[in-house]
Coordinates of all heavy atoms in Angstrom, one line a residue:
S23 N -5.2 5.1 2.8 CA -5.5 5.1 4.2 C -4.8 4.0 5.0 O -4.5 4.1 6.2 CB -7.0 4.9 4.4 OG -7.5 3.7 3.9
H24 N -4.4 2.8 4.3 CA -3.8 1.7 5.0 C -2.3 1.6 4.9 O -1.7 1.0 5.8 CB -4.4 0.4 4.5 CG -5.8 0.1 5.0 ND1 -6.9 0.8 4.5 CD2 -6.3 -0.8 5.9 CE1 -8.0 0.4 5.1 NE2 -7.7 -0.6 5.9
F25 N -1.7 2.3 3.9 CA -0.3 2.1 3.7 C 0.5 3.4 3.8 O 1.6 3.4 3.3 CB 0.0 1.3 2.4 CG -0.6 0.0 2.4 CD1 -1.7 -0.3 1.5 CD2 -0.1 -1.0 3.2 CE1 -2.2 -1.6 1.5 CE2 -0.6 -2.3 3.1 CZ -1.7 -2.6 2.3
T26 N -0.1 4.4 4.4 CA 0.6 5.7 4.6 C 0.4 6.1 6.0 O -0.7 6.2 6.5 CB 0.1 6.7 3.6 OG1 0.2 6.2 2.3 CG2 1.0 8.0 3.7
S27 N 1.5 6.4 6.7 CA 1.4 6.9 8.1 C 1.1 8.4 8.1 O 1.5 9.1 7.1 CB 2.7 6.6 8.9 OG 3.8 7.3 8.4
D28 N 0.6 8.9 9.2 CA 0.3 10.4 9.2 C 1.5 11.2 9.1 O 1.5 12.3 8.5 CB -0.4 10.7 10.5 CG -1.8 10.1 10.6 OD1 -2.4 9.9 9.6 OD2 -2.3 9.9 11.7
S29 N 2.6 10.7 9.6 CA 3.9 11.4 9.6 C 4.4 11.6 8.2 O 5.2 12.5 7.9 CB 5.0 10.8 10.5 OG 5.2 9.4 10.0
E30 N 4.0 10.7 7.3 CA 4.5 10.7 5.9 C 3.7 11.7 5.0 O 4.1 12.1 3.9 CB 4.4 9.3 5.3 CG 5.4 8.3 5.8 CD 5.2 7.0 5.2 OE1 4.1 6.5 5.1 OE2 6.2 6.4 4.7
R31 N 2.5 12.2 5.6 CA 1.7 13.0 4.7 C 2.1 14.4 4.8 O 1.4 15.3 5.4 CB 0.2 12.8 5.2 CG -0.3 11.4 4.9 CD -1.7 11.1 5.4 NE -2.0 9.7 5.2 CZ -3.2 9.2 5.6 NH1 -4.1 9.9 6.2 NH2 -3.4 7.9 5.4
A32 N 3.2 14.7 4.2 CA 3.7 16.1 4.1 C 3.3 16.7 2.8 O 2.9 16.0 1.8 CB 5.2 16.1 4.3
E33 N 3.5 18.0 2.6 CA 3.1 18.7 1.4 C 4.2 19.1 0.5 O 4.0 19.7 -0.6 CB 2.3 19.9 1.8 CG 0.9 19.6 2.5 CD 0.1 18.6 1.7 OE1 0.0 18.8 0.4 OE2 -0.5 17.7 2.3
T34 N 5.5 18.9 0.9 CA 6.6 19.2 -0.1 C 6.6 18.2 -1.2 O 6.1 17.1 -1.1 CB 7.9 19.2 0.6 OG1 8.2 17.8 1.0 CG2 7.9 20.1 1.9
V35 N 7.1 18.6 -2.3 CA 7.1 17.7 -3.5 C 7.8 16.4 -3.2 O 7.3 15.3 -3.5 CB 7.8 18.4 -4.7 CG1 8.0 17.5 -5.9 CG2 7.0 19.7 -5.1
D36 N 9.0 16.5 -2.6 CA 9.8 15.3 -2.3 C 9.1 14.3 -1.4 O 9.0 13.1 -1.6 CB 11.1 15.7 -1.8 CG 12.1 16.3 -2.8 OD1 11.8 16.1 -4.0 OD2 13.0 16.9 -2.4
T37 N 8.5 14.9 -0.3 CA 7.8 14.0 0.6 C 6.5 13.4 0.0 O 6.2 12.3 0.3 CB 7.5 14.7 2.0 OG1 6.8 15.9 1.7 CG2 8.8 15.0 2.7
K38 N 5.8 14.3 -0.8 CA 4.6 13.8 -1.4 C 4.9 12.7 -2.4 O 4.2 11.7 -2.5 CB 3.9 15.0 -2.1 CG 2.5 14.7 -2.5 CD 1.6 14.6 -1.3 CE 0.1 14.5 -1.7 NZ -0.8 14.4 -0.5
I39 N 5.9 12.9 -3.2 CA 6.3 11.9 -4.2 C 6.8 10.6 -3.5 O 6.5 9.5 -3.9 CB 7.4 12.4 -5.1 CG1 6.9 13.5 -6.0 CG2 8.0 11.3 -6.0 CD1 5.8 13.0 -7.0
K40 N 7.5 10.8 -2.4 CA 7.9 9.6 -1.6 C 6.7 8.8 -1.1 O 6.7 7.6 -1.1 CB 8.8 10.1 -0.4 CG 9.4 8.9 0.4 CD 10.2 9.4 1.6 CE 10.7 8.3 2.4 NZ 11.5 8.8 3.6
E41 N 5.7 9.6 -0.6 CA 4.5 8.9 -0.1 C 3.8 8.1 -1.2 O 3.5 7.0 -1.0 CB 3.6 10.0 0.5 CG 2.2 9.5 0.8 CD 1.2 10.6 1.0 OE1 1.4 11.4 2.0 OE2 0.2 10.8 0.3
I42 N 3.7 8.8 -2.3 CA 3.0 8.1 -3.5 C 3.8 6.9 -4.0 O 3.3 5.9 -4.3 CB 2.8 9.1 -4.6 CG1 1.7 10.2 -4.1 CG2 2.3 8.4 -5.9 CD1 1.5 11.3 -5.1
S43 N 5.2 7.1 -4.0 CA 6.0 6.0 -4.4 C 5.8 4.8 -3.5 O 5.8 3.6 -4.0 CB 7.5 6.4 -4.4 OG 7.7 7.5 -5.3
S44 N 5.7 5.0 -2.2 CA 5.5 3.9 -1.3 C 4.2 3.2 -1.6 O 4.2 1.9 -1.5 CB 5.5 4.5 0.1 OG 5.3 3.4 1.1
I45 N 3.2 3.9 -1.9 CA 1.9 3.3 -2.1 C 1.9 2.6 -3.4 O 1.4 1.5 -3.6 CB 0.8 4.4 -2.1 CG1 0.7 5.1 -0.8 CG2 -0.6 3.8 -2.5 CD1 -0.3 6.2 -0.7
V46 N 2.5 3.2 -4.5 CA 2.6 2.5 -5.8 C 3.4 1.2 -5.6 O 3.0 0.2 -6.2 CB 3.3 3.4 -6.8 CG1 3.7 2.6 -8.0 CG2 2.4 4.6 -7.1
H47 N 4.4 1.2 -4.8 CA 5.2 -0.1 -4.6 C 4.3 -1.1 -4.0 O 4.3 -2.3 -4.4 CB 6.4 0.2 -3.7 CG 7.2 -1.0 -3.4 ND1 8.0 -1.6 -4.4 CD2 7.3 -1.8 -2.3 CE1 8.6 -2.7 -3.9 NE2 8.1 -2.9 -2.6
K48 N 3.4 -0.7 -3.0 CA 2.5 -1.7 -2.4 C 1.5 -2.2 -3.4 O 1.1 -3.4 -3.5 CB 1.8 -1.0 -1.3 CG 2.6 -0.7 0.0 CD 3.0 -2.0 0.7 CE 3.7 -1.7 2.0 NZ 4.0 -2.9 2.7
M49 N 1.0 -1.3 -4.3 CA 0.0 -1.7 -5.3 C 0.6 -2.7 -6.3 O -0.2 -3.5 -6.8 CB -0.5 -0.5 -6.0 CG -1.4 0.5 -5.1 SD -2.2 1.7 -6.0 CE -0.9 2.6 -6.9
K50 N 1.8 -2.6 -6.6 CA 2.5 -3.5 -7.5 C 3.0 -4.7 -6.8 O 3.5 -5.6 -7.5 CB 3.5 -2.8 -8.3 CG 3.0 -1.7 -9.3 CD 4.0 -1.1 -10.2 CE 4.6 -2.2 -11.2 NZ 3.6 -2.7 -12.1
N51 N 3.0 -4.8 -5.5 CA 3.5 -5.9 -4.8 C 2.6 -6.2 -3.6 O 3.1 -6.5 -2.5 CB 4.9 -5.6 -4.3 CG 5.9 -5.4 -5.4 OD1 6.5 -6.4 -6.0 ND2 6.1 -4.2 -5.8
W52 N 1.3 -6.3 -3.8 CA 0.3 -6.5 -2.8 C 0.3 -7.9 -2.4 O -0.1 -8.8 -3.2 CB -1.0 -5.9 -3.2 CG -2.1 -5.9 -2.1 CD1 -1.9 -5.9 -0.8 CD2 -3.5 -5.9 -2.3 NE1 -3.1 -5.8 -0.1 CE2 -4.1 -5.9 -1.1 CE3 -4.3 -5.9 -3.5 CZ2 -5.5 -5.8 -0.9 CZ3 -5.7 -5.9 -3.3 CH2 -6.2 -5.8 -2.0
E53 N 0.7 -8.3 -1.2 CA 0.7 -9.7 -0.8 C -0.6 -9.9 0.0 O -0.9 -9.3 1.0 CB 1.9 -10.0 0.1 CG 3.2 -9.9 -0.7 CD 4.4 -10.4 0.1 OE1 4.3 -10.6 1.3 OE2 5.5 -10.5 -0.5
V54 N -1.3 -10.9 -0.5 CA -2.6 -11.3 0.1 C -2.5 -12.8 0.5 O -2.2 -13.7 -0.3 CB -3.8 -11.1 -0.8 CG1 -5.1 -11.5 -0.2 CG2 -3.9 -9.6 -1.3
T55 N -2.9 -13.1 1.8 CA -2.9 -14.4 2.3 C -4.2 -15.1 1.9 O -5.3 -14.5 2.2 CB -2.7 -14.5 3.8 OG1 -1.4 -13.9 4.1 CG2 -2.7 -15.9 4.3
V56 N -4.1 -16.3 1.3 CA -5.4 -16.9 0.9 C -5.4 -18.4 1.4 O -4.3 -18.9 1.7 CB -5.5 -16.9 -0.7 CG1 -5.5 -15.5 -1.2 CG2 -4.3 -17.7 -1.3
T57 N -6.6 -18.9 1.4 CA -6.7 -20.4 1.7 C -7.7 -21.0 0.7 O -8.5 -20.3 0.1 CB -7.3 -20.6 3.1 OG1 -8.5 -19.8 3.2 CG2 -6.4 -20.1 4.2
P58 N -7.5 -22.2 0.3 CA -8.3 -22.8 -0.7 C -9.8 -23.0 -0.2 O -10.1 -23.0 0.9 CB -7.7 -24.2 -0.9 CG -7.0 -24.5 0.4 CD -6.5 -23.2 0.9
A59 N -10.7 -23.2 -1.2 CA -12.1 -23.5 -0.9 C -12.2 -24.8 -0.1 O -11.5 -25.7 -0.3 CB -12.9 -23.6 -2.2
D60 N -13.1 -24.8 0.9 CA -13.3 -26.0 1.8 C -14.5 -26.8 1.4 O -14.9 -27.7 2.1 CB -13.3 -25.6 3.2 CG -14.4 -24.5 3.5 OD1 -15.2 -24.2 2.6 OD2 -14.4 -24.0 4.6
N61 N -15.2 -26.4 0.3 CA -16.3 -27.2 -0.2 C -16.4 -27.0 -1.7 O -15.7 -26.2 -2.3 CB -17.6 -26.9 0.5 CG -18.0 -25.4 0.3 OD1 -18.2 -24.9 -0.8 ND2 -18.2 -24.7 1.4
Y62 N -17.3 -27.7 -2.4 CA -17.5 -27.6 -3.8 C -18.5 -26.7 -4.3 O -18.8 -26.6 -5.5 CB -17.8 -29.0 -4.3 CG -16.7 -30.0 -4.1 CD1 -16.7 -30.9 -3.0 CD2 -15.7 -30.1 -5.1 CE1 -15.7 -31.8 -2.9 CE2 -14.6 -31.0 -4.9 CZ -14.7 -31.9 -3.8 OH -13.6 -32.8 -3.6

């Protein structure tokens, strides 16, 4: 839901695989911004 645009959600094999490939890439390279704990 968060990393696929509506225009990418097509039903042909190539576009579907492209959509899934894009999501898989995000899952293997998910960048999360973090901050350290501010108390003990």
Side-chain angles (χ1 to χ4, degrees):
S23 63
H24 285 72
F25 297 111
T26 306
S27 65
D28 291 336
S29 62
E30 290 178 311
R31 295 178 184 175
E33 295 303 322
T34 66
V35 174
D36 287 342
T37 54
K38 194 72 173 179
I39 292 294
K40 181 181 178 181
E41 170 192 298
I42 293 174
S43 297
S44 175
I45 299 173
V46 167
H47 180 75
K48 289 287 187 182
M49 292 190 302
K50 290 187 67 65
N51 297 274
W52 188 21
E53 293 188 351
V54 178
T55 300
V56 298
T57 53
D60 55 9
N61 60 57
Y62 293 96

